[in-house]
Amino acid sequence: MNPARDHLLRQLADGRFHSGEQLARALGVSRSAVWKQIQRLEADLGLAISAVRGRGYRLPAPLELLDSDRISAELSDAAKDTLGAMSVLSMTASTNGCASADLPMESGCARVWLAEHQTEGRGRRGRRWVSAFGEKLYISMAWRFDMPMTELGGLSLVAGVVVAEVLAHLGLEGHALKWPNDVLVGRRKLSGILVEVSGEADGPATAVIGVGVNFRVPEAQGAQIDQPWTDLSRASPVVMSRNRMAGILIDRLIHACGLFSTERLRPFLGRWERFDGLTGQPVRIMHGKRSIDGIYRGITPSGGMVLEEASGCSEYHAGEVSLRKDGDL
Ligand code: ATP
């Protein structure tokens, strides 16, 4: 985003009225230049800025913009030592895309990308992730593992555990994990995770862990999401800070990747169970065009899920199937 627009946004972020004259002074431009920049903010970022004669311009609600100093302040010394680079962007096609284009060359060293807005955010199998400027948290972290790519399957579950634990730490209650990695409140999706792996079959391999958390989804935008969704403004009893959550998430993801490197999924299995929302419940899995009904019996030590069918129990892996609670279709 150009510096003038960035500056204007920072002025408006408090959600209060700012007169055209005051903004023009702060930016060192004319009032008509301010008006043009306001129009660009609306057109490019989808922000609904109200203009009231005699009072000025304001955003519908305050925006807590991402701030790398505030994010870094939440990192432990160990995480700071491990963090190779962190980039905070206003807008990008996809933070996973940025991370994939700049993979770390050494093991045990994280690179992190955050953005206020993604224009081409994606989910598994190319599905679309609906975005809005400043209303979500998008973090992608790249990490190189000295292990074969095939052993990184469980990493989606690790990321899910970390997100669920951080949300609980910050005061959210009643949320659950849906295998392999969605975070739901009730049956509504609050956060999605996308892990993309690349590398040699026998290692090393690099994973990009992408996390999206809904802070606020405007109704009109929610109408574009084709499954039940929620956001923290609706689901959380406390107001959470995006910068604080970003810092804690990065800190815990770094720690989790280190632990996964040496111990694989084992330390995370019990932590997953604490949040597993579907154990013992009727579910349906979709395998291509086929659907199979059964009872969800939790996860295996390698991160697969166990489905109990009339003929017995079978294990399925995240790359091949999607899971739905029976009745959600
Ligand atoms: P799976 O169980 O296979 O992971 P999924 O439908 O949850 O299935 P993902 O690839 O994890 O799929 O996420 C993409 C889906 O998430 C989209 O198809 C859409 O239904 C939903 N979605 C998109 N944007 C949002 C959002 N901002 N909040 C909640 N859900 C969203």
Side-chain angles (χ1 to χ4, degrees):
M1 189 153 54
N2 77 39
R5 237 186 294 170
D6 198 46
H7 194 170
L8 177 58
L9 197 57
R10 285 182 193 281
Q11 299 285 320
L12 293 170
D14 60 9
R16 302 212 184 104
F17 274 112
H18 295 264
S19 72
E21 201 181 319
Q22 185 193 336
L23 292 171
R25 224 178 310 119
L27 271 69
V29 297
S30 66
R31 282 172 58 182
S32 72
V34 167
W35 181 75
K36 278 191 198 137
Q37 290 292 1
I38 295 269
Q39 290 197 314
R40 300 245 33 112
L41 284 179
E42 292 186 310
D44 297 348
L45 306 184
L47 290 168
I49 301 171
S50 38
V52 177
R53 195 177 283 279
R55 300 196 71 187
Y57 304 100
R58 82 162 175 192
L59 287 169
L63 278 182
E64 184 203 354
L65 295 172
L66 295 173
D67 176 330
S68 45
D69 290 341
R70 288 182 63 193
I71 296 170
S72 301
E74 302 293 340
L75 300 178
S76 61
D77 289 344
K80 280 184 188 148
D81 289 345
T82 312
L83 184 59
M86 179 170 79
S87 306
V88 179
L89 307 174
S90 284
M91 192 153 80
T92 185
S94 129
T95 52
N96 263 30
C98 294
S100 303
D102 184 28
L103 296 172
M105 301 310 285
E106 0 156 8
S107 310
C109 164
R111 289 204 185 169
V112 174
W113 296 82
L114 299 102
E116 299 284 7
H117 186 39
Q118 292 190 138
T119 52
E120 288 164 33
R122 53 184 196 261
R124 301 200 311 140
R125 291 187 270 279
R127 287 179 291 228
R128 181 165 163 253
W129 184 260
V130 175
S131 177
F133 188 92
E135 312 268 30
K136 316 268 195 307
L137 186 61
Y138 297 116
I139 301 182
S140 294
M141 186 173 104
W143 185 281
R144 186 172 146 125
F145 293 88
D146 284 324
M147 61 173 88
M149 221 165 86
T150 47
E151 289 187 25
L152 294 184
L155 206 53
S156 284
L157 282 77
V158 170
V161 167
V162 169
V163 175
E165 288 178 347
V166 169
L167 288 167
H169 173 74
L170 292 174
L172 187 67
E173 290 164 8
H175 55 295
L177 284 165
K178 189 199 81 172
W179 181 89
N181 56 19
D182 288 344
V183 181
L184 310 183
V185 178
R187 293 184 175 191
R188 299 175 167 276
K189 185 157 162 173
L190 172 72
S191 165
I193 291 156
L194 177 67
V195 177
E196 296 177 296
V197 296
S198 56
E200 303 300 320
D202 353 326
T206 308
V208 173
I209 301 172
V211 177
V213 181
N214 290 333
F215 271 67
R216 201 176 75 89
V217 178
E219 280 296 342
Q221 201 193 41
Q224 300 168 32
I225 306 175
D226 59 3
Q227 65 173 292
W229 56 270
T230 189
D231 62 23
L232 289 170
S233 77
R234 293 168 170 87
S236 169
V238 290
V239 176
M240 294 188 199
S241 152
R242 284 199 311 146
N243 286 303
R244 177 143 194 259
M245 185 185 295
I248 299 175
L249 263 177
I250 293 167
D251 187 79
R252 305 245 179 134
L253 281 173
I254 287 175
H255 183 261
C257 283
L259 191 59
F260 184 83
S261 300
T262 52
E263 299 192 40
R264 308 294 196 267
L265 204 50
R266 197 188 49 76
F268 299 94
L269 295 171
R271 290 161 66 181
W272 170 276
E273 268 167 32
R274 174 181 165 207
F275 291 101
D276 194 331
L278 289 178
T279 305
Q281 302 213 22
V283 294
R284 172 169 295 178
I285 59 171
M286 268 92 66
H287 197 176
K289 290 203 168 122
R290 218 154 53 91
S291 66
I292 309 166
D293 293 335
I295 305 292
Y296 172 83
R297 293 288 177 208
I299 62 168
T300 65
S302 65
M305 64 148 278
V306 179
L307 186 73
E308 184 186 320
E309 298 160 59
S311 54
C313 285
S314 323
E315 179 176 345
Y316 291 92
H317 291 276
E320 35 186 49
V321 296
S322 278
L323 173 69
R324 291 287 178 271
K325 185 163 163 49
D326 196 12
D328 279 355
L329 288 169

